[in-house]
Amino acid sequence: MHFIKPAWLTHSGEKKDFEVYSCHVSPDGSRLVTAAGDGHVRVWSIDAIRNAGDPQYTKPRQLASMSTHSGTIHTVRFSSNNRYLASGADDKIVCIYSLDPNPPSHASSFGTNEPPPVESWRVFRRLIGHDNDVQDLGWSYDSSILVSVGLDSKVVVWSGHTFEKLKTLSNHQSHVKGLTFDPANKYFATASDDRSVRIFRFTPPAPNATAHDQSSNFHLETTILAPFAASPLTTYFRRCSWSPDGNHIAAANAVNGPVPSVAIVNRGSWDSEINLIGHEGPVEVCAFSPRLFAKDPPGQANQDKGFSTQHLVTVVACAGQDKALSVWNTSHPRPLLITQELARKSISDLAWSPDGKTLFATSLDGSIIAVLFDDGELGYIVGPEENEKALAKFGAGRKGAGVIEGTDGLLLEERSKAGELTRVEGRMGALMGDGAVKADATPNGHGNGVATPVSGSDGTPTQVNGHGADGALPDAAPPAEPAKDMNAIKLEKLKQRVTITKDGKKRIAPLLLSGSSAATPSSLPTSQLMAPSASTQRSAAEGPHAILDLSKPFDGLPKGGLSALLLGNKRKAVVLDGEVDGTAEKKAATAGRNGIVPILTNSVEGAVPPHPAQAAGGVIPTPDFIRPAVVNPSLSVSQVRLAVPKVRTCIVRHLDGDGNVSFAGEGGAGTADVVFEAKNPLGQAALVRPADRDPTRLTVTRRGQTVWQDFVPRNVLLVTGNQRFWAAACEEGSIYTWTRAGRRSLNAVVVEAQPVLLECRGWWLLCITAAGMCHVWNLKTLASPHPPVSLAPILDIAVHTLQAHPTVAPAVTSAHLNAEGHIIVTLNNGEGYTYASAMYVWQRLSEPWWAVGSQYWNTTDSSVGNLQTSAAHGRSGPRRDGEVDAANVSAGIIPHLERSTTNEVLLRGRGYHLQRLVKSLIAREGYESFESGVSIAHLENRMAAAMLLGAREEFRVYLYMYAKRIGAEGLKGKVDELLRGLLGHVFRAADDAAGTRTGTGDDLGHGWESEGEALGGWPRRDLLKGVVLILGKHRDLQRITLPYANLLGVTDEETEDGDRTRSG
């Protein structure tokens, strides 16, 4: 054993040597890199260090010096592939350097004693992600990820290819000071001042992985606490090390009673039964030798078999605040080597050379020491293949993608990736502003070998070589001038823009060529709240969310929604002695309502919420009304009480030409304006007998000309109408309806209380009364899809206490009908509901929980969200007869409800406490999969909502998003259940189908377990094929997906396509 400590191997300053905090050896064993308090990263020649005593050695000693950090550098690490060098400092930045193959273009800096650089190391990336000092770094063994830890208690994972931040782990509660990677590439361990070592499991990400793709990766496996319960907090580092055979972790700064020790943690069980005791002070750094050792020298008898017949051991070096270095061998209970007073201050880092023969140590006194071991001194080094054999049992070298399931699995994987590439190319064409985006080879963009004719930007069929799409020659016609690209013209003008400077010179203004991420397809969901760019407006207009199948509100509700009062069903809390009845409960309910804490004012009755003050200055506009409406006696016994609109002098409904005006029976005058007007009599008290009142006049005019006029003997509160009928709701609860020509279609409908909301859609009419009852009628069939239903369940009546006086409930912000008569209601607490008439129950479609916890909130996946819809092929919007195509039924309702939740909760700050709760849960132990679980549940909620509403296009989009996510997560149980649900009874034998499928379509059901051949409006076979192609690229799922692919003939189609290609 030899100690080498050259005088020139320091980070020297003017008065003293700077503290050296870290060192590392390159994978090829030729370079040693060190970091110190002078802010320099220095690269040394190991060959020069070993020959430091040879006066004949004249080769360069220092190869390079980098000073890109603005503070003390705490850690430096070479990547395992020898391509990069990473450093972390107290300026909170991680710098990535790459070696330029060209020689340095400059000499040493002027005014310094630095030797001229031999190698050119340039800053490749600066990574910003920490809020405090970066204390340690580590590369995975395949260099796929870089992990940094620091004093901000964060563990930040970076991509080793793109250096994008993949994930931030906030599991530690104090400074993180150490890091080590499993050589089998399955785990990494972090050590912290919270007296714990945490083991994280990970799967090596792909080179193009993003933070969204890795949301479910890097989860906490276990937390080790026992060996560190009383460990001191005075150490600068807690650098641990993983053994080269993957069996053990040497954890620094452990204690065994009052004695400092090094804890040896066993893999798998993660317990610590062995402690290395001998140091007098806390141990700050441990380092396993990268090679395995044999106890005996290699003999001739086992040359062919290597050292597999011998017991192999590992060697670990430990050092710390006692300035001593110890080297241990797993076959000896005592250390092989103990060196006291190796330095004058604490030893900060240790690094082995790849051959396991040289150990480098750095100290805070500025010294850098090399220890050379003779052959056999630590044991006899075995070949690197023995490391691979030892790690094979832990799955080293086997990727998480799994093993291919035969040739059919390979064909399925290729077909899945080809379909994904086609969708990416289509998105890229749209982003780059192509005139026409090529259609996919099949609907859903997966291809079946049959080409689809592509239409030009003006809707005409594309001609190929002068022939039409069907091969026929076009009619002789003069060639049309090519359409001018307005974007190109604008770009040309921008390029030629000339500006005049202050001194009168002409200059061409520079044009910014953006290198934004829009040029690269991202796997992140695309927000629907973002305004579409000019290049994506056309494709966005063809998406499912471009159409909204909801009735348009013609009579706006008050600001904040329609107020509601409740007499709840919940029992009152027990009143304590000395407490006023219900005071504490009222205050708690008031303070926690809607997730906000209101300001309270002192009054005679105690602390009460303040009344909103009027706006200062200006005239507050008020509606012109006669008087408040007379309250119906039924409200005195109703549990729900909604605000009743006042009796206004004039109520007008104006119909423009946007889809609702088809009062154009003659001549196709579909753009004529139609006005429905109700004028209540003035100057009459509410107590006047109805027989003595003047009648209310209702008039329909078109372009100022009266179409029809009628009179009713009651005051009108609300009016509505469309191309089918007109309706008016009166003060005493009667509703009148007329045809478009003014004929009374049925007798007056009388409801239990004053109507507070009146909406129509097609032949459907919705009336919500002050007692909270929802009535829906079909005026074509003169029937109702369900009995009147109360709003009480969705107004949280179950959590409101029954008291002598009603309590405030969430306000109704909107109520709509869709083309099939479904009621859609939104509340000011951010929740959105629909009434399932088949089940006679309300269902919640949107809520703030998804808004703060799901990664898919208000977004659509860019890889499946641009599917060509039926509306894009000439069936967009309602037809002239007022009916809605099956493809557009309930279109846009789910995104509309999510936008409403965003407006009510996130944009107005009502979800602040819920956001804080979710943020704290993510960092809590046991909730590592919280974000992933909520996101998957949100997609499942979307699919169920689309199926309930009959939203055909959106169901397919959400289904493919769900399949893509559970495939990336590797959830085999959900994948198998999804494929079985999609399979249904499609492939049953004909005689079985004939024997069991009897009855009407309603008898077959409408959900996942239905017996019909369609699901969500799509053939099950088409949906199953699309999902199988999405999941086909995941090899670990091919054992599940391959039987379905063979059943559908997906792999056979691939083979036939290849045969046709070869024959062509």
Side-chain angles (χ1 to χ4, degrees):
M1 178 177 60
H2 307 277
F3 289 89
I4 302 176
K5 188 179 179 181
W8 48 265
L9 191 59
T10 60
H11 287 248
S12 58
E14 294 181 358
K15 297 182 180 180
K16 65 169 186 175
D17 294 340
F18 287 96
E19 299 92 343
V20 183
Y21 290 96
S22 183
C23 65
H24 199 238
V25 180
S26 63
D28 59 4
S30 62
R31 303 176 183 90
L32 171 71
V33 60
T34 57
D38 60 351
H40 282 71
V41 174
R42 301 183 187 272
V43 182
W44 311 90
S45 170
I46 291 183
D47 189 46
I49 296 174
R50 288 173 175 167
N51 293 277
D54 186 1
Q56 304 297 325
Y57 189 86
T58 58
K59 293 182 180 180
R61 300 167 178 172
Q62 180 174 303
L63 303 180
S65 175
M66 296 83 76
S67 59
T68 54
H69 287 284
S70 60
T72 300
I73 305 174
H74 295 147
T75 176
V76 283
R77 295 292 183 263
F78 281 103
S79 65
S80 303
N81 57 12
N82 207 24
R83 291 183 57 187
Y84 301 109
L85 172 64
S87 63
D90 60 6
D91 58 2
K92 313 173 190 176
I93 295 176
V94 176
C95 286
I96 307 297
Y97 309 89
S98 63
L99 179 60
D100 191 344
N102 300 317
S105 58
H106 62 280
S108 58
S109 301
F110 178 76
T112 65
N113 296 324
E114 294 285 339
V118 179
E119 297 177 343
S120 179
W121 288 86
R122 302 185 181 276
V123 177
F124 183 72
R125 288 284 190 277
R126 285 183 174 89
L127 310 182
I128 301 175
H130 284 276
D131 302 327
N132 209 328
D133 300 5
V134 179
Q135 205 72 0
D136 205 0
L137 293 168
W139 296 83
S140 63
Y141 274 74
D142 60 353
S143 299
S144 60
I145 61 172
L146 168 69
V147 176
S148 59
V149 299
L151 301 185
D152 54 0
S153 307
K154 293 181 180 178
V155 178
V156 184
V157 184
W158 313 85
S159 169
H161 305 278
T162 63
F163 296 102
E164 176 187 354
K165 185 195 294 184
L166 298 181
K167 197 164 187 178
T168 299
L169 305 171
S170 303
N171 301 83
H172 284 288
Q173 307 301 319
S174 186
H175 309 323
V176 188
K177 296 182 176 180
L179 170 72
T180 183
F181 267 90
D182 170 24
N185 224 38
K186 304 297 180 184
Y187 302 96
F188 64 84
T190 56
S192 168
D193 273 352
D194 60 5
R195 295 187 170 97
S196 71
V197 169
R198 299 179 190 260
I199 312 296
F200 295 89
R201 175 185 286 274
F202 74 97
T203 301
N208 59 347
T210 62
H212 177 66
D213 299 333
Q214 302 300 311
S215 59
S216 61
N217 203 354
F218 313 107
H219 60 85
L220 182 66
E221 178 77 8
T222 188
T223 301
I224 304 169
L225 300 172
F228 316 101
S231 64
L233 304 179
T234 58
T235 58
Y236 209 85
F237 300 104
R238 290 174 178 258
R239 286 174 167 152
C240 42
S241 180
W242 212 301
S243 64
D245 59 359
N247 284 319
H248 307 101
I249 302 174
N253 202 10
V255 291
N256 189 347
V259 180
S261 68
V262 175
I264 304 299
V265 180
N266 297 317
R267 184 194 187 104
S269 61
W270 310 115
D271 55 358
S272 176
E273 299 177 352
I274 301 175
N275 288 275
L276 306 182
I277 300 174
H279 285 270
E280 298 177 357
V283 178
E284 294 197 19
V285 55
C286 303
F288 272 101
S289 172
R291 302 294 288 272
L292 295 175
F293 293 81
K295 187 176 181 181
D296 300 321
Q300 190 66 31
N302 55 11
Q303 276 294 328
D304 296 336
K305 297 182 181 180
F307 293 88
S308 59
T309 58
Q310 295 196 42
H311 177 64
L312 302 181
V313 297
T314 56
V315 173
V316 60
C318 309
Q321 292 184 0
D322 60 353
K323 313 164 198 172
L325 171 67
S326 63
V327 180
W328 304 71
N329 186 314
T330 53
S331 62
H332 292 81
R334 296 181 178 275
L336 299 178
L337 166 70
I338 296 179
T339 304
Q340 301 285 350
E341 301 296 332
L342 186 63
R344 295 189 302 273
K345 292 184 178 180
S346 300
I347 297 176
S348 56
D349 204 0
L350 298 172
W352 288 87
S353 62
D355 58 5
K357 294 182 178 180
T358 307
L359 175 64
F360 295 92
T362 59
S363 173
L364 298 184
D365 65 356
S367 60
I368 304 171
I369 306 165
V371 183
L372 275 64
F373 296 96
D374 298 330
D375 293 339
E377 193 169 1
L378 301 176
Y380 295 93
I381 299 175
V382 300
E385 65 276 1
E386 295 297 333
N387 291 48
E388 298 175 2
K389 291 179 182 178
L391 296 174
K393 60 183 177 181
F394 302 123
R398 295 200 303 266
K399 302 224 178 199
V403 182
I404 198 73
E405 296 286 337
T407 56
D408 287 344
L410 188 59
L411 291 173
L412 176 61
E413 181 179 357
E414 292 176 355
R415 189 156 177 75
S416 174
K417 292 181 178 179
E420 186 174 358
L421 180 61
T422 304
R423 293 192 296 274
V424 170
E425 290 174 350
R427 295 197 305 276
M428 284 297 296
L431 289 171
M432 299 304 293
D434 292 346
V437 180
K438 294 183 179 180
D440 295 327
T442 60
N444 311 346
H446 298 297
N448 60 357
V450 181
T452 304
V454 182
S455 298
S457 58
D458 56 353
T460 59
T462 305
Q463 296 181 2
V464 183
N465 297 335
H467 295 267
D470 56 353
L473 288 170
D475 296 333
E481 295 182 1
K484 296 182 179 180
D485 189 354
M486 298 305 296
N487 290 332
I489 295 175
K490 292 180 181 179
L491 190 61
E492 243 355 271
K493 290 182 179 179
L494 287 173
K495 289 180 179 179
Q496 299 172 4
R497 183 189 298 173
V498 178
T499 58
I500 300 177
T501 60
K502 294 181 179 179
D503 54 0
K505 297 181 180 180
K506 293 184 178 181
R507 294 288 184 268
I508 297 178
L511 176 64
L512 174 63
L513 299 178
S514 175
S516 65
S517 60
T520 305
S522 173
S523 61
L524 285 172
T526 306
S527 175
Q528 293 175 348
L529 292 179
M530 297 169 56
S533 61
S535 62
T536 60
Q537 283 181 352
R538 182 191 313 183
S539 60
E542 297 176 354
H545 54 274
I547 303 169
L548 181 59
D549 177 27
L550 282 180
S551 57
K552 296 183 179 180
F554 281 80
D555 213 358
L557 295 178
K559 185 177 181 181
L562 201 63
S563 301
L565 296 176
L566 286 180
L567 292 172
N569 293 330
K570 184 181 178 182
R571 292 195 176 189
K572 294 179 64 175
V574 178
V575 180
L576 302 178
D577 295 338
E579 181 186 350
V580 181
D581 185 10
T583 302
E585 185 179 359
K586 290 179 181 178
K587 290 182 179 180
T590 303
R593 187 181 303 120
N594 298 331
I596 61 174
V597 179
I599 301 174
L600 302 178
T601 58
N602 293 322
S603 67
V604 179
E605 299 179 356
V608 297
H611 296 286
Q614 294 185 353
V619 179
I620 301 176
T622 57
D624 186 11
F625 63 92
I626 302 173
R627 56 177 172 76
V630 177
V631 176
N632 193 302
S634 65
L635 290 181
S636 61
V637 295
S638 173
Q639 284 190 282
V640 181
R641 305 176 187 179
L642 299 180
V644 181
K646 293 181 173 64
V647 180
R648 290 168 286 180
T649 57
C650 184
I651 308 168
V652 178
R653 175 155 186 172
H654 177 82
L655 303 184
D656 56 18
D658 188 15
N660 282 323
V661 198
S662 50
F663 199 82
E666 64 274 355
T671 59
D673 291 340
V674 181
V675 176
F676 184 29
E677 182 181 30
K679 287 189 176 181
N680 290 311
L682 295 172
Q684 293 184 349
L687 300 179
V688 177
R689 293 183 305 168
D692 298 334
R693 294 178 185 169
D694 292 339
T696 298
R697 184 177 61 186
L698 297 106
T699 308
V700 173
T701 59
R702 176 180 171 191
R703 294 180 180 176
Q705 300 295 323
T706 300
V707 178
W708 62 267
Q709 191 176 72
D710 200 354
F711 299 89
V712 294
R714 295 167 177 84
N715 289 325
V716 173
L717 294 179
L718 303 166
V719 297
T720 188
N722 57 21
Q723 59 185 359
R724 299 292 187 184
F725 62 88
W726 307 99
C730 297
E731 181 181 11
E732 96 299 351
S734 60
I735 301 172
Y736 294 87
T737 58
W738 296 266
T739 64
R740 62 178 184 176
R743 175 174 54 87
R744 300 248 180 148
S745 57
L746 72 161
N747 300 325
V749 177
V750 183
V751 293
E752 70 281 350
Q754 289 90 349
V756 298
L757 196 145
L758 198 65
E759 288 290 338
C760 64
R761 174 74 167 168
W763 285 106
W764 298 96
L765 178 63
L766 166 67
C767 175
I768 299 180
T769 67
M773 300 301 292
C774 300
H775 301 262
V776 179
W777 304 285
N778 188 318
L779 299 188
K780 182 177 182 180
T781 61
L782 299 183
S784 177
H786 51 77
V789 57
S790 175
L791 289 176
I794 68 174
L795 296 179
D796 296 336
I797 195 170
V799 298
H800 282 72
T801 306
L802 179 61
Q803 299 179 0
H805 301 284
T807 56
V808 179
V812 179
T813 55
S814 69
H816 304 275
L817 283 173
N818 76 336
E820 293 187 339
H822 287 286
I823 309 173
I824 309 296
V825 179
T826 61
L827 306 178
N828 70 341
N829 60 5
E831 296 176 352
Y833 294 87
T834 187
Y835 186 72
S837 57
M839 301 177 65
Y840 298 106
V841 70
W842 289 98
Q843 292 193 16
R844 186 185 297 114
L845 305 187
S846 178
E847 59 179 316
W849 176 252
W850 308 124
V852 299
S854 172
Q855 298 169 330
Y856 294 94
W857 181 253
N858 248 322
T859 59
T860 180
D861 196 329
S862 59
S863 62
V864 297
N866 63 337
L867 301 174
Q868 293 293 325
T869 66
S870 302
H873 298 285
R875 294 189 297 165
S876 58
R879 298 196 298 259
R880 288 183 57 85
D881 58 359
E883 297 294 334
V884 176
D885 289 306
N888 296 329
V889 170
S890 300
I893 293 180
I894 300 174
H896 166 77
L897 293 178
E898 292 193 357
R899 285 193 295 269
S900 175
T901 303
T902 300
N903 293 333
E904 295 293 339
V905 177
L906 299 184
L907 299 185
R908 299 188 182 182
R910 294 173 178 168
Y912 174 72
H913 291 282
L914 191 57
Q915 288 174 315
R916 290 189 60 187
L917 171 64
V918 171
K919 186 176 180 180
S920 64
L921 283 178
I922 293 176
R924 198 178 301 174
E925 185 177 355
Y927 291 87
E928 293 80 14
S929 60
F930 171 82
E931 196 172 15
S932 174
V934 173
S935 299
I936 292 176
H938 179 219
L939 290 178
E940 294 169 348
N941 185 79
R942 277 180 167 182
M943 287 193 301
M947 185 179 296
L948 172 65
L949 295 172
R952 183 172 181 267
E953 302 289 350
E954 291 170 6
F955 174 74
R956 185 180 66 168
V957 171
Y958 298 149
L959 173 65
Y960 289 170
M961 292 171 64
Y962 178 70
K964 183 179 179 183
R965 183 58 185 262
I966 63 176
E969 297 278 354
L971 303 178
K972 296 183 180 180
K974 290 196 173 185
V975 168
D976 184 49
E977 186 180 53
L978 176 64
L979 295 176
R980 289 178 181 273
L982 290 174
L983 181 66
H985 303 273
V986 175
F987 298 99
R988 290 190 309 177
D991 52 350
D992 294 341
T996 57
R997 288 192 186 178
T998 58
T1000 63
D1002 294 338
D1003 297 334
L1004 300 178
H1006 299 283
W1008 290 96
E1009 302 301 327
S1010 61
E1011 298 183 9
E1013 295 185 0
L1015 182 66
W1018 296 92
R1020 286 179 179 267
R1021 186 185 184 96
D1022 294 348
L1023 295 178
L1024 181 61
K1025 183 176 180 180
V1027 170
V1028 167
L1029 287 172
I1030 289 175
L1031 299 173
K1033 65 180 180 180
H1034 301 285
R1035 292 188 178 181
D1036 54 339
L1037 300 175
Q1038 284 185 356
R1039 188 163 295 180
I1040 302 173
T1041 58
L1042 198 55
Y1044 295 92
N1046 293 333
L1047 185 64
L1048 294 167
V1050 175
T1051 55
D1052 296 338
E1053 291 176 7
E1054 179 70 23
T1055 306
E1056 292 172 3
D1057 293 344
D1059 294 340
R1060 282 196 296 268
T1061 304
R1062 287 190 293 270
S1063 62

